[in-house]
Amino acid sequence: AAPFEEKAFFEYHMYTLPRNATLADKEQKQISLFDPAKGAVQKEFIYRPEQDAKAVKVVVKLKNSAETGLGMPLPAGRVRMFKADTDGMLVLLGEDQIDHTPKNDSLRIDIGTAFDITAEERTVNVTRVSNTVEERDFEIELRNRKAEAVKVRVEKNLWGYWEILSSSLEYTKKDASTVAFSVPLKKDEVATLKLKVRFTSR
């Protein structure tokens, strides 16, 4: 069956079904916007302790381009991702909601939680320096029980006026309140990220 046809209209995109769709009385029917796309993706493991203290999220990154089997303006909605098993059967990996995504822009799809990678954050020390200054020591323990090496991206949310006094790993500043670390883990390895932060209230 012919898929939807997309065309630009003013500052919008219109999707038209170039055929009839018949509905029986009280029937519900789902119609795919386009045929399933096949393409290469990048998988990333992300730990955000402020969102979920125990779970390491699995995020799939891809580009909305013809090379990935897409390459058309995508309206906001639900996306499902499948992967073929060894016997060729398609297995649902997960689903997520996406925003309106122009052609050739990137997509990040959260498809669930890693089973064999776990994490835990601890505040091991709090020192009150003055009425307005406090120092905290954090430890983030990451455990890789997979049969291969992985990298986990840790995104730690900080608050107020902050300064990192020491860190066991290099970090990048994602935004005004978030720092990110890339933690390599060998198979069956346990690693601990140590972080000392000074918070100042004004």
Side-chain angles (χ1 to χ4, degrees), residues 20-41:
N20 292 331
T22 303
L23 288 173
D25 184 31
K26 298 180 181 178
E27 180 187 11
Q28 292 185 357
K29 181 181 290 187
Q30 289 186 340
I31 303 173
S32 297
L33 184 62
F34 51 85
D35 293 333
K38 298 179 181 179
V41 299

Side-chain angles (χ1 to χ4, degrees), residues 114-130:
F115 184 84
D116 295 316
I117 306 173
T118 57
E120 181 181 0
E121 183 190 53
R122 298 182 293 269
T123 301
V124 295
N125 189 47
V126 178
T127 303
R128 195 74 183 175
V129 179
S130 69

Side-chain angles (χ1 to χ4, degrees), residues 29-39 41 60 62 70 74-83 90-98 107 109-112:
K29 181 181 290 187
Q30 289 186 340
I31 303 173
S32 297
L33 184 62
F34 51 85
D35 293 333
K38 298 179 181 179
V41 299
V60 168
L62 68 152
L70 298 172
L74 300 176
R78 183 169 56 185
V79 173
R80 290 191 179 105
M81 299 202 69
F82 296 82
K83 184 176 180 179
L90 288 178
V91 178
L92 176 65
L93 300 178
E95 63 181 33
D96 195 9
Q97 295 286 332
I98 64 169
L107 281 166
I109 302 171
D110 186 340
I111 60 171

Side-chain angles (χ1 to χ4, degrees), residues 1 4 9 12 20 23 27 39 44 53 62 70 75 80 84 87 96 103 107 128 136 146-147 165 190 193-194:
F4 280 82
F9 178 74
Y12 310 103
N20 292 331
L23 288 173
E27 180 187 11
E44 188 174 47
L62 68 152
L70 298 172
R80 290 191 179 105
D87 57 3
D96 195 9
K103 183 174 67 174
L107 281 166
R128 195 74 183 175
R136 294 196 178 200
K146 296 173 70 68
L165 301 180
V190 178
L193 167 63
K194 296 182 179 181

Side-chain angles (χ1 to χ4, degrees), residues 82-177:
F82 296 82
K83 184 176 180 179
D85 201 354
T86 52
D87 57 3
M89 294 290 292
L90 288 178
V91 178
L92 176 65
L93 300 178
E95 63 181 33
D96 195 9
Q97 295 286 332
I98 64 169
D99 293 328
H100 298 297
T101 307
K103 183 174 67 174
N104 292 326
D105 266 17
S106 296
L107 281 166
R108 294 173 62 88
I109 302 171
D110 186 340
I111 60 171
T113 301
F115 184 84
D116 295 316
I117 306 173
T118 57
E120 181 181 0
E121 183 190 53
R122 298 182 293 269
T123 301
V124 295
N125 189 47
V126 178
T127 303
R128 195 74 183 175
V129 179
S130 69
N131 290 335
T132 58
V133 179
E134 180 181 271
E135 294 178 357
R136 294 196 178 200
D137 292 273
F138 301 97
E139 287 186 357
I140 297 175
E141 185 176 277
L142 299 163
R143 299 174 288 274
N144 177 26
R145 303 308 183 194
K146 296 173 70 68
E148 69 267 7
V150 298
K151 279 187 180 180
V152 178
R153 178 179 171 88
V154 175
E155 294 185 352
K156 172 67 180 167
N157 185 258
L158 303 171
W159 56 91
Y161 298 93
W162 54 269
E163 176 189 0
I164 294 181
L165 301 180
S166 63
S167 173
S168 59
L169 288 175
E170 292 185 1
Y171 62 90
T172 58
K173 188 175 179 180
K174 182 181 177 183
D175 54 43
S177 59

